[in-house]
Amino acid sequence: MPTLVHSGKVRDVYRDGDDLILVASDRVSVYDVVLPTPVPDKGRVLTRLSLWWFDQLEDLVPNHIIGEVSDPPEWAGRAVRCRSLSMVPVECVARGYLSGSARAEYDRSGSVCGIALPPGLVEGSRLPTPIFTPTTKAPIGEHDEALTYEQVVDQVGADVAARLRDLTLAIYERGSDIARDRGIIIADTKLEFGFSRDGTLTLADEVLTPDSSRFWPADHWEPGRPQHPFDKQMVRDWAVGTGWNKQPPGPEVPGYVVSATRARYVEAYERLTGLPF
Ligand code: ATP
Ligand code: MG
């Protein structure tokens, strides 16, 4: 019998013998608050997409997937059995474009995670070359903090730090090349790694989904203004438009916003994989 060991904002984690089962729900969080209204199929879309990416990356890095779990039936399509890893306590972020917290850091200091960048970059600018911008894995309720590469070396040692950086950039480059051909810019992404029992550095968690990455339609890309992400942006904009103060509880989301958001997730999946959802 799987036992629930962790309930994140969007996913639930169960332990089943030696394995973990990650169950993706249809919950949506905005500004770290889970809204009362689910987006149908979101959990299945993100699970399918992650599995598809693990396959695309298999020759670069081993992954934690053992297989899909469809018992109980309500888990079908959105639950995966994975090897339980000893997780690396660093969120491995790769960025090819400047946005979000990195843009704020650049505006203050001209650098991101200790990496100096050329002057004149704006929201959405493409970086001269993709960069590794790791963060802490903050406990629930706290925010991830930027780490310099030297801080990662202090935490995990020089050898593991170099492997994390090189793998993160290689995965980002593979993923963003594939996506680019299909009209999607992956501006940045967050990866998680862990060690298997035999010491193999293994890609874990979810990978290259709209929840772990910024996906932008390439044909609307225009540096200097916010882009049009393939995710819950519509829900976010709608929620802010109601005057909501970003504190729990979040507002009930109307049907037209829910269906437009569902369509956006499905479109990202279908464009990337070329498969019908
Ligand atoms: P948030 O809602 O902000 O994402 P969270 O990260 O705590 O919060 P989840 O992402 O749902 O919530 O939790 C998944 C957890 O499982 C993460 O802590 C992740 O590091 C961990 N994890 C993922 N894959 C593995 C694995 N193979 N072995 C061990 N832990 C894993
Ligand atoms: Mg998480």
Side-chain angles (χ1 to χ4, degrees), residues 114-271:
I115 302 166
L117 295 174
L121 301 179
V122 293
E123 176 66 32
S125 287
R126 185 170 190 178
L127 301 175
T129 176
I131 56 174
F132 177 56
T133 62
T135 71
T136 58
K137 254 171 88 90
I140 294 170
E142 291 169 37
H143 285 289
D144 295 342
E145 305 278 351
L147 292 171
T148 62
Y149 184 68
E150 288 65 37
Q151 288 172 311
V152 179
V153 170
D154 289 343
Q155 277 201 34
V156 300
D159 171 63
V160 172
R163 288 164 66 203
L164 291 174
R165 179 197 55 202
D166 294 351
L167 273 175
T168 299
L169 291 172
I171 292 165
Y172 174 74
E173 280 175 49
R174 168 79 58 87
S176 55
D177 283 353
I178 293 175
R180 195 71 225 244
D181 286 345
R182 296 160 193 203
I184 292 178
I185 290 172
I186 301 181
D188 52 42
T189 194
K190 182 214 71 174
L191 304 171
E192 293 191 39
F193 296 88
F195 289 98
S196 65
R197 220 172 295 165
D198 68 1
T200 307
L201 191 58
T202 304
L203 183 59
D205 211 55
E206 61 180 326
V207 61
L208 295 167
T209 67
D211 276 12
S212 65
S213 323
R214 283 192 175 83
F215 285 10
W216 299 335
D219 53 354
H220 291 286
W221 174 58
E222 191 191 316
R225 59 147 173 79
Q227 311 303 312
H228 302 288
F230 267 101
D231 72 345
K232 54 197 176 187
Q233 186 67 29
M234 255 167 305
V235 183
R236 218 180 274 130
D237 292 347
W238 172 84
V240 170
T242 63
W244 173 54
N245 63 2
K246 303 183 185 172
Q247 299 303 312
E252 290 274 358
V253 185
Y256 74 93
V257 178
V258 170
S259 53
T261 303
R262 178 189 178 279
R264 199 79 175 139
Y265 280 103
V266 170
E267 188 190 345
Y269 171 82
E270 292 187 337
R271 273 225 227 171

Side-chain angles (χ1 to χ4, degrees), residues 24-43:
S25 73
D26 293 341
R27 298 191 288 269
V28 180
S29 73
V30 286
Y31 301 105
D32 288 341
V33 175
V34 176
L35 299 181
T37 323
V39 170
D41 295 326
K42 175 173 176 279

Side-chain angles (χ1 to χ4, degrees), residues 6 8-13 20 22 64 82-85 87 137 140 192 204-205:
H6 174 82
K9 288 187 288 295
V10 172
R11 288 177 301 160
D12 299 318
V13 184
L20 290 183
L22 295 182
H64 69 160
C82 32
R83 276 173 281 280
S84 177
L85 306 173
M87 295 300 284
K137 254 171 88 90
I140 294 170
E192 293 191 39
D205 211 55

Side-chain angles (χ1 to χ4, degrees), residues 28-100:
V28 180
S29 73
V30 286
Y31 301 105
D32 288 341
V33 175
V34 176
L35 299 181
T37 323
V39 170
D41 295 326
K42 175 173 176 279
R44 291 200 298 138
V45 173
L46 296 194
T47 300
R48 288 244 71 77
L49 184 58
S50 223
L51 287 169
W52 184 82
W53 278 119
F54 279 122
D55 278 346
Q56 309 302 306
L57 300 166
E58 211 161 39
D59 61 310
L60 282 180
V61 61
N63 66 62
H64 69 160
I65 299 295
I66 297 172
E68 291 194 60
V69 180
S70 47
D71 180 33
E74 65 265 26
W75 280 4
R78 58 190 185 89
V80 290
R81 175 179 300 277
C82 32
R83 276 173 281 280
S84 177
L85 306 173
S86 166
M87 295 300 284
V88 174
V90 172
E91 308 250 19
C92 292
V93 179
R95 301 176 184 275
Y97 293 76
L98 192 65
S99 190

